[in-house]
């Protein structure tokens, strides 16, 4: 078993007060719901939001997971087999605008974001949480079900997955709201 | 020589094995690295990696959702009569494995981003003497591949420049290629050959150093220097940034010094098979 001392349990939707308590290096786990988005979903979401359209789901206070799951279609729907994080920095040019226009409060990924993006996230009241890259099966085990999949035409890896999770983690607070950035230590 | 279907099924088994388990040298290196770490965040990263490997093996599902793009290295005896189309057999094996394992559809057209298999699979064939056949597979995810680098250095700058290039690439990539990584370095040849040498260097099991004493020494010094950065597992800080550095070289033009770098993430998925008594046999590393 993985022993993690004092993991803070988060249940999105999150507000600023909840994430302000967290400091770089803290361990966190998430229950209830996380929503995946990567390259193409970010781009499409921004295109909609810029032209004043609404997204098909409300992302205020949400935890966004940079992930393109490997899943298998079953009779009852989808079974997520492996779902580790993808490189967050690939989305850096879209990150701040995405967070600002959606009201997302936590990004989950791997490898961190650029320094300028980290300060933008702070200003917008959004933390960055790191999950172990490559730990796809460990992640999938915390996924208890697929609520829905949106924008499936982007492909299953690029679509938005709304996932029901229990104790998703261990996540490490890598960028906090107090100027902390684990990648600069 | 095995029949085409037999051959294809062995390659499916290789892909299955590579996607769901790691070779022993890699697991051992991860376990040893975990013991050396002194900070809790680093040990938790290693615990997650090891727990994930245990789950993947037990459930028979891919370690990482990025099941990569398989890269084949084939040593083909020029006197061997295959009796079937090798590349087509490999391609059929990927299609089967994609359903059976399953593997994520990763191949797309580079311009339109639409699903495409044009130019796939990637197969590097080396013609060798005799009737031998060996197949090595690397399952290469994009996270580590994206940090590949090619430097055309000045020959007069020599080894010091090679070291700077490798260490710069490690520092620049930070936590993004999923460290601890294996760093493949190709020196010399030409721009294309250096890149291939760097990738081929990743096939070598950890703990084996180059037969060339100069290169073996360079490998150790680069690994020590890279680990001094403190980037640590997943870039979250720690003593282990690389599991190893593997350098390969080839002669090159006197006015050139190509140095290519290819990163392999900690989930170093590979498989090998070779011909034994007319049967293709999977090796369990």
């Amino acid at each position: 078993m993985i022993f993690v001392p004092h993991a803070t349990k988060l249940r999105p939707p999150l507000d600023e007060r909840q994430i302000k308590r967290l400091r770089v290096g803290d361990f966190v786990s998430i229950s209830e719901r996380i929503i995946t988005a990567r390259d193409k979903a970010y781009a499409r979401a921004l295109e909609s939001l810029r032209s004043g359209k609404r997204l098909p789901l409300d992302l205020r206070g949400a935890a966004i997971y940079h992930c393109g799951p490997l899943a298998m279609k079953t009779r009852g729907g989808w079974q997520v087999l492996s779902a580790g994080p993808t490189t967050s920095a690939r989305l850096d040019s879209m990150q701040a605008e995405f967070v600002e226009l959606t009201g997302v409060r936590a990004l989950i990924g791997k490898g961190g974001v650029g320094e300028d993006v980290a300060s933008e996230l702070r200003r917008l009241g959004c933390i960055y949480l790191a999950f172990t890259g490559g730990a796809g099966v460990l992640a999938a085990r915390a996924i208890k079900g697929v609520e829905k999949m949106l924008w499936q035409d982007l492909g299953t890896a690029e679509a938005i997955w709304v996932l029901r999770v229990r104790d998703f983690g261990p996540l490490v607070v890598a960028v906090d709201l107090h100027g902390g950035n684990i990648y600069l230590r | 020589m095995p029949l085409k279907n037999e051959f294809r099924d062995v390659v499916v088994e290789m892909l299955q094995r590579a996607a769901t388990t790691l070779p022993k040298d890699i697991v051992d290196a991860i376990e040893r690295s975990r013991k050396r770490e002194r900070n809790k965040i680093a040990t938790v990263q290693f615990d997650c990696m090891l727990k994930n490997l245990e789950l993947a093996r037990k459930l028979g599902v891919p370690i990482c959702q990025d099941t990569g793009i398989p890269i084949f290295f084939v040593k083909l005896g020029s006197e061997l009569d295959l009796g079937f189309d090798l590349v087509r057999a490999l391609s059929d094996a990927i299609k089967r494995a994609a359903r059976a394992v399953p593997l994520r559809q990763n191949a797309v057209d580079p311009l339109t981003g639409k699903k495409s298999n044009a130019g796939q699979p990637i197969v590097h064939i080396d013609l060798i003497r005799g009737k031998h056949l060996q197949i090595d597979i690397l399952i290469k995810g994009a996270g580590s591949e994206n940090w590949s680098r090619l430097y055309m250095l000045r020959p007069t700058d020599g080894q010091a420049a090679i070291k700077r290039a490798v260490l710069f690439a490690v520092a620049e990539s930070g936590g993004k290629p999923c460290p601890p990584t294996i760093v493949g370095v190709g020196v010399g040849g030409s721009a294309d050959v250096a890149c291939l040498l760097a990738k081929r260097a990743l096939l070598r099991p950890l703990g084996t150093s180059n037969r060339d004493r100069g290169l073996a020494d360079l490998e150790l010094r680069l690994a020590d220097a890279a680990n001094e950065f403190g980037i640590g597992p997943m870039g979250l800080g720690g003593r282990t940034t690389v599991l190893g550095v593997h350098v390969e070289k080839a002669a090159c033009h006197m006015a050139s010094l190509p140095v290519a770098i290819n990163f392999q993430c900690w989930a170093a998925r590979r498989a090998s098979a070779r011909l034994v008594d007319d049967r293709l046999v999977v090796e369990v590393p």
Side-chain angles (χ1 to χ4, degrees):
Chain A
M1 208 33 227
I2 302 159
F3 176 70
V4 177
H6 321 295
T8 305
K9 288 176 188 283
L10 296 178
R11 290 173 183 278
L14 306 165
D15 59 37
E16 189 159 5
R17 190 180 47 87
Q18 285 168 300
I19 57 170
K20 214 164 195 167
R21 287 197 209 114
L22 299 168
R23 299 268 171 176
V24 152
D26 287 355
F27 288 101
V28 166
S29 76
I30 295 185
S31 292
E32 296 295 337
R33 188 196 239 192
I34 56 174
I35 299 159
T36 72
R38 53 182 277 164
D39 314 54
K40 288 182 185 164
Y42 258 58
R44 184 180 285 183
L46 283 182
E47 209 178 296
S48 290
L49 292 166
R50 279 177 195 149
S51 60
K53 283 189 210 127
R54 277 213 199 158
L55 296 186
L57 77 174
D58 185 5
L59 293 181
R60 268 173 299 177
I64 289 290
Y65 185 27
H66 300 150
C67 170
L70 172 68
M72 201 167 62
K73 204 160 196 175
T74 61
R75 219 177 290 168
W78 287 92
Q79 191 196 350
V80 177
L81 298 176
S82 197
T86 192
T87 310
S88 303
R90 235 184 21 250
L91 311 170
D92 268 5
S93 64
M94 300 183 276
Q95 219 86 259
E97 194 184 0
F98 181 82
V99 170
E100 181 152 31
L101 296 179
T102 55
V104 159
R105 287 286 179 193
L107 299 177
I108 309 164
K110 65 143 176 120
V113 290
E115 252 182 279
D116 48 337
V117 175
S119 12
E120 285 292 294
L121 291 184
R122 254 172 234 129
R123 181 178 69 77
L124 299 165
C126 178
I127 49 167
Y128 180 82
L129 304 167
F131 188 64
T132 313
V137 194
L138 191 66
R141 201 174 59 155
I143 297 171
K144 300 302 171 190
V146 177
E147 265 179 42
K148 59 184 157 187
M149 200 205 305
L150 300 163
W151 297 348
Q152 202 175 330
D153 60 298
L154 297 177
T156 54
E158 297 277 355
I160 289 183
W161 294 71
V162 182
L163 302 169
R164 220 153 14 81
V165 290
R166 191 186 304 148
D167 294 327
F168 186 88
L171 306 167
V172 179
V173 177
V175 174
D176 65 18
L177 299 193
H178 311 282
N181 184 345
I182 208 165
Y183 304 99
L184 297 180
R185 289 211 292 208
Chain B
M1 190 53 220
L3 295 169
K4 185 195 166 202
N5 290 354
E6 237 175 275
F7 175 92
R8 178 200 64 205
D9 292 346
V10 174
V11 178
V12 172
E13 187 195 333
M14 292 170 80
L15 289 166
Q16 162 102 38
R17 197 185 283 271
T20 59
T21 62
L22 289 190
K24 189 169 184 300
D25 58 290
I26 309 289
V27 181
D28 288 350
I30 293 171
E31 281 171 348
R32 272 198 310 276
S33 304
R34 191 217 177 274
K35 287 191 191 121
R36 274 200 305 269
E37 293 293 349
R38 292 291 169 269
N39 92 60
K40 187 66 198 164
I41 293 171
T43 55
V44 166
Q45 296 311 303
F46 280 121
D47 286 346
C48 288
M49 293 171 194
L50 291 165
K51 181 74 189 172
N52 187 62
L53 291 177
E54 185 193 315
L55 288 170
R57 178 185 284 274
K58 202 168 74 185
L59 302 171
V61 295
I63 295 165
C64 179
Q65 76 294 336
D66 185 356
T67 51
I69 280 188
I71 297 170
F72 295 92
F73 296 87
V74 179
K75 282 184 184 147
L76 180 64
S78 55
E79 291 169 44
L80 188 71
D81 186 9
L82 271 180
F84 58 84
D85 187 294
L86 178 73
V87 173
R88 174 173 276 190
L90 295 176
S91 173
D92 287 352
I94 295 177
K95 274 184 213 135
R96 289 215 164 201
R99 281 192 306 270
V101 180
L103 306 173
R104 198 174 71 180
Q105 164 72 36
N106 284 330
V108 295
D109 180 282
L111 296 185
T112 64
K114 293 210 160 62
K115 188 172 152 180
S116 165
N117 283 312
Q120 296 284 336
I122 298 173
V123 187
H124 301 293
I125 297 178
D126 263 350
L127 275 181
I128 55 171
R129 264 193 269 174
K131 294 190 169 184
H132 188 60
L133 175 67
Q134 176 164 341
I135 296 179
D136 295 296
I137 304 176
L138 282 179
I139 286 193
K140 203 64 178 34
S144 58
E145 186 73 4
N146 281 347
W147 292 93
S148 305
R149 291 291 181 266
L150 171 68
Y151 302 101
M152 300 305 281
L153 303 174
R154 271 192 308 251
T156 46
D157 293 343
Q159 277 213 27
I162 298 171
K163 275 188 233 160
R164 266 201 307 276
V166 174
L167 294 175
F168 181 78
V170 171
E172 185 193 17
S173 63
K176 291 180 273 288
C178 287
T181 53
I182 305 167
V183 186
V185 183
V187 181
S190 49
D192 50 336
V193 168
C195 289
L196 194 52
L197 287 173
K199 183 153 281 163
R200 204 184 286 271
L202 302 175
L203 286 173
R204 218 167 77 205
L206 285 171
T208 58
S209 45
N210 200 297
R211 278 190 217 155
D212 179 299
R213 280 183 56 191
L215 289 186
D217 184 52
L218 181 62
E219 288 176 350
L220 285 179
R221 278 186 295 155
L222 282 171
D224 286 345
N227 284 329
E228 284 296 311
F229 283 140
I231 292 167
M234 294 316 300
L236 300 174
R239 295 181 172 188
T240 327
T241 300
V242 301
L243 295 172
V245 178
H246 292 173
V247 186
E248 298 293 337
K249 70 173 179 181
C252 63
H253 194 294
M254 63 182 152
S256 276
L257 180 54
V259 175
I261 295 146
N262 198 280
F263 288 95
Q264 170 62 65
C265 61
W266 68 264
R269 292 154 287 171
R270 60 170 211 263
S272 300
R274 61 198 179 95
L275 209 54
V276 181
D277 299 329
D278 267 5
R279 298 183 66 87
L280 192 63
V281 179
V282 181
E283 291 175 344
V284 182

